[in-house]
Amino acid sequence: MLEIKNLHVKLEDEDKQILKGVDLSLEAGKVHAIMGPNGSGKSTLSYVLSGKDGYEVTEGSAHLQGEDVLDMEPEERAAAGLFLAFQYPVEIPGVGNMTFLRTAVNAQRKARGEEELSAGDFLKVVREKAKTLKIDAEMLKRPVNVGFSGGEKKRNEILQMAMLEPKMCILDETDSGLDVDAMKLVSEGVNALRDAGRTFLVITHYQRLLDHIKPDVVHIMANGRIVKTGGPELALEVEQNGYADILAEEVA
Amino acid sequence: MSLDVEVKDGVDQETVDAVKELSGTYKYGWNTDIEMEYAPKGVNTDIVKLISEKNEEPEWMTEWRLQAFERWEKMTEPEWAMVSYPKIDFQDQYYYARPKSMVEKPKSLDEVDPKLLATYEKLGIPLKEQALLAGVEAPEEERKVAVDAVFDSVSVGTTFKDELAKAGVIFCSISEAIREHPELVKKYLGSVVPVSDNYYATLNSAVFSDGSFVYVPPGVRCPMELSTYFRINAENTGQFERTLIIADKGSYVSYLEGCTAPQRDTAQLHAAVVEIVIEEDAEVKYSTVQNWYPGDEDGKGGIYNFVTKRADCRGDRAKVMWTQVETGSAVTWKYPSCILRGNDTQGEFYSIAIANNMQQADTGTKMVHLGKNTKSRIVSKGISAGKAQNTYRGLVSMHPKAKNSRNYTQCDSLLIGDKCGAHTVPYIEVKNNSSRVEHEATTSKVDDEQLFYCRQRGMDEEEAVALVVNGFCKEVLQALPMEFAMEAQALVAISLEGSVG
Ligand SMILES: Nc1ncnc2c1ncn2[C@@H]1O[C@H](COP(=O)(O)OP(=O)(O)OP(=O)(O)O)[C@@H](O)[C@H]1O
Ligand SMILES: [Mg+2]
């Protein structure tokens, strides 16, 4: 699904290298998790893949279903099926959540040459999906993320993902700020979307989330590189011992 | 303070559809090929008399105009606004242009020149007496909008006149009102904007050729929205229209105004006067979507929009609400004002002013509090893009007798790019110690994080900007009647095309 090879990224305005040769191969239908110390480059990787300004790729490549994503505009990547659930979802004052969703859904449909959803059909689908995430009608009317609690923002990201049905979903610390119940809701939302044609890249600091969303593969990122890859047991190891051992191994 | 604004749900639902439908740059830049009759170029007493004669006016009206002209000749053009443009040669343009087919006045809409009817049809304002269906799904809630269509110097037709007359409402062109209802015109014309008010208003008083007239009798709630659609078509011609609205005791009317003009290389002048008289317990809502041709990216052509609009809340508890969406014109100089003369009167002003490319806008309002317990509210949203300059200029004045009065002003500016400018010039005078004035102002830039968020969800850059800007303007868009709100949102998007990237 997503092939990342030797990806090197520096800041555009500064001489600061952040990603120093990331290799990742994410197959269709799998859930990959990335863990790693603060500042190791996890969010940067998600931003570069989704096309945010301010970063410069100095080496390497990323292909989504064979297509060079680094060459596309952010909205083209979105239409190609790449979705990022933001670590810090953005507030857009005055724009209704529902309007935002509908605009996004129809923009992608249009880009793919599909028929737009009518107001009625759209409403039906949103209401249904919102309900399973316990997002009430009032929240759908409110401006995008404005005044939402941390947990509400994260649930809103998952609602957007459910509406857009992307193929490649990157979740950046979607579990942070969630209470126990919300964590369950969000995980259920994600699990409901798991299927053979969809891939997840879940960035997290905690095993807790991975209890609910069972990963197939776990990667450890440190200092701009993937330093270790393993099965679900790797996450448990981190939970118990921290990163010290893994980093020491790498240096050695 | 609690001035209630009606909030409508889902006003912005259709934004994006409408935007797509209206894609392309200035949509109304085409012109109608039609035989015209012109008065000779320039302005002098003969031209003033000629305009009066063309309108078959009584002598008192001709006199009124001539006096205005005499004053105007002694006045000088104001220069205090934050706008700059080449000096206007007032003698090098036409002051009167009417389609030849309008020389014999059509007796009904059926007799109006098909070319003119087609023009309004193409502008999306069919001159037919039909219910307006756009955007309103439930058929029981059919809304009718009566239209007075002004083409260059003349009104070509007014719809729903008979139906309105049954309710006692007079809605016709001002030229007809001068002939048919002289007692009303004599009593109110110039009573809100005096002949000597300012340079452009005085010129307008001398040479106005047509416009709309509304009288709503005591206790009548006007059964439909009224509107005037102004179209400038002729080249090198100025449009000088005059609107007079009288809401008698306890009446209510909502009035809409739209305007467009063809795309031309030379600038054209539009100098209108709107006077509104509001008696005791009456209420008027006046909404404008101004979409005159703005000129090209290099600032060539476009309309100079120098307009005087004022409402006089004469009776106690009278209310007025101005809502404007100013997206067009090369230069805008416009300050719709409220004279809060009666006790417990209310004035509200909601404005979106967009300036892109080389456009210049200097707009705002004046709230003059004269009566006791008067309230006013100003919400201004200025958006600048390209190399445009956008100025909010507002006056809030509390007179000694305006005890216990309140004003709240909120003035937000949004910048797109770094070559444009936004300026806020508030003037505040408080001459009694029981009144309160609050002023809040913000300036922000379109946030890259917001744009990236939208684009990550699949919107292209222009769509993202349109969405964010529409969100920024939300409070004002909500103040517009439904049909206008949709059009206005689409316009916001279009007028910002090419502002990013
Ligand atoms: N725009 C930027 N300007 C300056 N430094 C940046 C920028 N973007 C990223 N960095 C730096 O790059 C490094 C990686 O940041 P990144 O946000 O990718 O880390 P992370 O792994 O997501 O951390 P966390 O677990 O805390 O979310 C950090 O040192 C960060 O300060
Ligand atoms: Mg991060």
Side-chain angles (χ1 to χ4, degrees):
Chain A
M1 175 70 67
L2 184 62
E3 290 288 333
I4 303 167
K5 286 203 182 115
N6 195 29
L7 191 63
H8 286 70
V9 171
K10 67 179 269 292
L11 290 178
E12 209 167 54
D13 301 330
E14 254 174 81
D15 213 10
K16 184 172 174 184
Q17 197 75 28
I18 299 174
L19 300 184
K20 302 167 182 170
V22 174
D23 285 290
L24 272 176
S25 177
L26 311 177
E27 317 80 4
K30 299 286 194 231
V31 174
H32 287 241
I34 295 191
M35 302 176 86
N38 293 131
S40 56
K42 304 179 298 296
S43 292
T44 301
L45 175 65
S46 69
Y47 286 147
V48 170
L49 290 172
S50 50
K52 192 175 182 188
D53 280 342
Y55 302 98
E56 190 184 323
V57 176
T58 51
E59 221 183 310
S61 66
H63 287 85
L64 179 66
Q65 296 190 304
E67 279 190 87
D68 181 0
V69 282
L70 300 179
D71 213 30
M72 299 180 196
E73 294 294 334
E75 60 271 24
E76 292 169 340
R77 303 181 198 203
L82 186 108
F83 179 90
L84 170 62
F86 286 64
Q87 182 172 359
Y88 305 107
V90 180
E91 302 184 358
I92 311 182
V95 176
N97 216 2
M98 196 79 111
T99 305
F100 179 80
L101 270 172
R102 183 158 174 238
T103 310
V105 168
N106 281 336
Q108 292 204 12
R109 291 178 83 100
K110 191 185 150 202
R112 292 192 291 255
E114 296 164 13
E115 186 87 16
E116 289 182 13
L117 270 190
S118 74
D121 289 347
F122 173 79
L123 221 66
K124 233 176 84 190
V125 185
V126 176
R127 287 208 176 120
E128 195 182 298
K129 304 211 169 181
K131 207 169 149 201
T132 61
L133 287 162
K134 296 231 167 79
I135 292 175
D136 61 19
E138 209 261 330
M139 215 167 114
L140 286 175
K141 273 195 205 159
R142 274 162 60 183
V144 181
N145 293 326
V146 179
F148 286 27
S149 74
E152 285 169 345
K153 284 184 185 171
K154 297 302 175 79
R155 257 148 58 202
N156 201 31
E157 293 290 288
I158 301 304
L159 173 64
Q160 293 178 18
M161 182 167 85
M163 287 304 298
L164 294 166
E165 303 184 323
K167 293 195 198 101
M168 179 66 233
C169 311
I170 305 173
L171 310 184
D172 192 357
E173 291 196 29
T174 302
D175 53 336
S176 68
L178 293 183
D179 65 32
V180 183
D181 297 327
M183 174 94 76
K184 254 182 107 177
L185 281 176
V186 163
S187 309
E188 280 163 14
V190 171
N191 288 331
L193 283 169
R194 282 179 86 153
D195 86 38
R198 187 169 286 131
T199 303
F200 289 87
L201 183 61
V202 180
I203 299 171
T204 182
H205 285 294
Y206 305 107
Q207 169 61 32
R208 242 179 5 182
L209 178 72
L210 305 179
D211 286 340
H212 297 286
I213 306 171
K214 299 247 160 19
D216 298 294
V217 187
V218 175
H219 308 274
I220 307 299
M221 185 168 203
N223 194 18
R225 225 173 299 158
I226 302 293
V227 293
K228 191 162 186 180
T229 295
E233 71 289 348
L234 189 52
L236 287 166
E237 192 189 320
V238 169
E239 178 95 340
Q240 274 160 20
N241 307 327
Y243 294 109
D245 294 352
I246 297 167
L247 295 182
E249 242 172 78
E250 214 246 328
V251 174
Chain B
M1 66 177 280
S2 67
L3 276 182
D4 294 325
V5 186
E6 251 179 87
V7 175
K8 298 186 191 77
D9 272 334
V11 165
D12 53 353
Q13 294 290 335
E14 308 300 324
T15 314
V16 175
D17 299 352
V19 171
K20 279 179 195 144
E21 211 175 281
L22 292 167
S23 62
T25 42
Y26 190 70
K27 195 192 165 198
Y28 305 101
W30 44 271
N31 77 309
T32 306
D33 187 12
I34 192 165
E35 266 197 273
M36 297 294 289
E37 167 198 82
Y38 293 89
K41 257 190 186 174
V43 61
N44 50 50
T45 49
D46 287 343
I47 294 291
V48 173
K49 282 184 200 155
L50 185 92
I51 292 170
S52 186
E53 193 180 301
K54 295 267 182 204
N55 285 348
E56 296 163 30
E57 287 173 355
E59 214 182 297
W60 60 268
M61 193 66 235
T62 320
E63 247 341 279
W64 198 83
R65 290 174 177 277
L66 287 169
Q67 278 174 20
F69 183 70
E70 206 179 303
R71 270 183 183 277
W72 182 71
E73 281 194 306
K74 298 190 191 111
M75 295 168 95
T76 46
E77 236 180 308
E79 278 168 3
W80 44 262
M82 218 178 275
V83 292
S84 64
Y85 49 91
K87 194 132 190 67
I88 299 168
D89 183 350
F90 287 92
Q91 298 303 340
D92 189 31
Q93 57 179 325
Y94 297 104
Y95 285 75
Y96 190 86
R98 81 172 156 187
K100 284 202 171 143
S101 55
M102 289 299 298
V103 173
E104 269 309 309
K105 291 201 175 55
K107 280 180 203 66
S108 71
L109 287 170
D110 305 330
E111 289 178 21
V112 173
D113 184 346
K115 264 193 183 166
L116 289 170
L117 293 177
T119 299
Y120 286 92
E121 186 88 41
K122 196 170 167 189
L123 291 168
I125 321 286
L127 296 183
K128 285 182 199 142
E129 303 204 337
Q130 65 186 17
L132 202 113
L133 292 168
V136 183
E137 272 160 29
E140 318 83 79
E141 280 192 45
E142 277 187 358
R143 290 163 56 117
K144 290 176 182 169
V145 178
V147 183
D148 183 29
V150 176
F151 188 88
D152 291 325
S153 304
V154 292
S155 162
V156 302
T158 309
T159 61
F160 292 112
K161 266 168 98 165
D162 297 343
E163 197 172 328
L164 287 164
K166 276 184 208 141
V169 175
I170 305 172
F171 181 40
C172 62
S173 67
I174 190 113
S175 54
E176 184 179 326
I178 291 166
R179 291 190 301 270
E180 309 290 331
H181 308 283
E183 65 306 332
L184 286 172
V185 177
K186 257 189 190 164
K187 183 170 171 196
Y188 292 107
L189 189 73
S191 73
V192 183
V193 178
V195 167
S196 56
D197 194 78
N198 70 72
Y199 189 79
Y200 305 110
T202 307
L203 176 62
N204 174 287
S205 301
V207 301
F208 77 85
S209 54
D210 219 338
S212 305
F213 176 84
V214 177
Y215 174 77
V216 190
V220 171
R221 191 178 170 88
C222 187
M224 62 184 87
E225 311 245 7
L226 307 184
S227 71
T228 303
Y229 195 93
F230 295 104
R231 175 73 175 168
I232 295 181
N233 189 63
E235 223 167 335
N236 296 321
T237 303
Q239 191 177 55
F240 303 88
E241 87 271 359
R242 186 105 190 173
T243 301
L244 178 58
I245 298 174
I246 302 140
D248 217 326
K249 288 182 184 164
S251 67
Y252 168 86
V253 63
S254 165
Y255 187 91
L256 323 171
E257 177 198 82
C259 13
T260 59
Q263 195 159 333
R264 300 203 199 278
D265 288 347
T266 47
Q268 276 174 282
L269 181 62
H270 173 258
V273 172
V274 175
E275 294 182 274
I276 306 180
V277 178
I278 309 163
E279 300 286 7
E280 216 171 273
D281 295 303
E283 181 177 355
V284 174
K285 289 186 182 170
Y286 193 106
S287 315
T288 305
V289 173
Q290 186 267 103
N291 187 20
W292 294 120
Y293 176 57
D296 69 8
E297 298 95 271
D298 305 317
K300 214 167 174 200
I303 302 289
Y304 293 165
N305 191 34
F306 301 143
V307 174
T308 304
K309 291 184 169 177
R310 197 171 301 156
D312 187 351
C313 290
R314 248 167 231 189
D316 292 348
R317 295 169 302 278
K319 278 190 202 172
V320 63
M321 175 165 150
W322 294 104
T323 308
Q324 62 171 22
V325 179
E326 302 283 318
T327 62
S329 295
V331 180
T332 295
W333 180 100
K334 178 182 170 189
Y335 317 89
S337 308
C338 304
I339 311 294
L340 303 172
R341 196 182 302 279
N343 294 331
D344 302 290
T345 51
Q346 282 188 23
E348 293 174 67
F349 174 77
Y350 295 89
S351 171
I352 298 171
I354 300 183
N356 192 5
N357 296 317
M358 300 293 281
Q359 279 178 276
Q360 308 172 64
D362 193 307
T363 182
T365 186
K366 287 185 208 164
M367 293 291 175
V368 181
H369 293 251
L370 301 174
K372 271 182 285 198
N373 306 318
T374 48
K375 288 181 187 170
S376 64
R377 181 187 185 93
I378 299 170
V379 178
S380 161
K381 304 277 180 177
I383 297 129
S384 322
K387 294 181 186 156
Q389 295 297 323
N390 206 332
T391 302
Y392 167 81
R393 188 183 301 275
L395 166 75
V396 175
S397 168
M398 303 278 185
H399 283 239
K401 286 187 181 147
K403 300 257 187 302
N404 290 315
S405 293
R406 299 276 176 272
N407 162 264
Y408 170 75
T409 300
Q410 181 193 333
C411 211
D412 300 317
S413 306
L414 186 69
L415 302 173
I416 303 174
D418 47 19
K419 293 196 184 71
C420 54
H423 318 275
T424 303
V425 191
Y427 304 90
I428 298 170
E429 306 166 356
V430 182
K431 297 199 179 125
N432 70 64
N433 50 23
S434 59
S435 292
R436 207 169 66 217
V437 174
E438 280 176 77
H439 182 95
E440 285 173 31
T442 65
T443 300
S444 50
K445 285 198 153 206
V446 165
D447 180 16
D448 287 340
E449 300 280 331
Q450 289 175 337
L451 295 185
F452 176 63
Y453 191 61
C454 294
R455 295 179 74 188
Q456 205 307 302
R457 297 304 185 244
M459 298 167 216
D460 66 32
E461 202 168 6
E462 291 196 336
E463 215 168 4
V465 170
L467 197 75
V468 170
V469 172
N470 266 314
F472 171 77
C473 301
K474 175 94 167 195
E475 287 158 282
V476 178
L477 291 170
Q478 280 177 333
L480 285 168
M482 193 64 112
E483 303 77 9
F484 255 34
M486 310 243 199
E487 190 192 332
Q489 287 175 75
L491 255 181
V492 166
I494 290 163
S495 34
L496 288 171
E497 262 177 25
S499 66
V500 287

